[in-house]
Amino acid sequence: HPDALLVDVREPYEQFLSQTPDLHGVALTAMPLSRLLNAVQPWLDAQRPLLFFCRSGNRSRQAAQALARLGHTQAWTLAGGLALLPATSPEPDPAMYV
């Protein structure tokens, strides 16, 4: 879906230690699962399609289920997580996390 937003629900240290696939211009944001419910209201109001992802798919499934329980009809998870995808992006730049 062209309006979909990909949401990385990994913790910041995990994002730093691993690679995020090259998404070629797809809208991407990071919102750790530990902080998701405190920041979810704008997403509920907009009903924008959301695809949550994490390393294994467990936390992204929890995020999608939580939004679905709150009434968001377009919350999805990347089954299996990033662990199933080949690593294609360069190593993270430590300066991004200072």
Side-chain angles (χ1 to χ4, degrees):
H1 192 280
D3 295 330
L5 176 65
L6 276 68
V7 184
D8 187 345
V9 294
R10 297 175 297 166
E11 295 298 320
Y13 76 90
E14 293 174 285
Q15 295 167 13
F16 175 74
L17 293 174
S18 64
Q19 298 177 359
T20 300
D22 185 2
L23 301 172
H24 304 289
V26 174
L28 172 69
T29 190
M31 178 59 60
L33 183 62
S34 61
R35 293 185 268 165
L36 180 70
L37 292 181
N38 292 330
V40 77
Q41 193 59 47
W43 292 339
L44 291 175
D45 294 343
Q47 286 293 315
R48 181 179 193 179
L50 302 171
L51 176 62
F52 295 98
F53 68 92
C54 63
R55 186 190 62 78
S56 67
N58 291 325
R59 283 175 286 176
S60 61
R61 180 178 33 81
Q62 292 174 28
Q65 288 174 340
L67 262 70
R69 284 191 301 270
L70 292 171
H72 196 291
T73 60
Q74 294 291 319
W76 308 95
T77 183
L78 178 61
L82 296 177
L84 297 179
L85 300 178
T88 58
S89 62
E91 289 296 316
D93 179 2
M96 292 175 29
Y97 302 94
V98 175

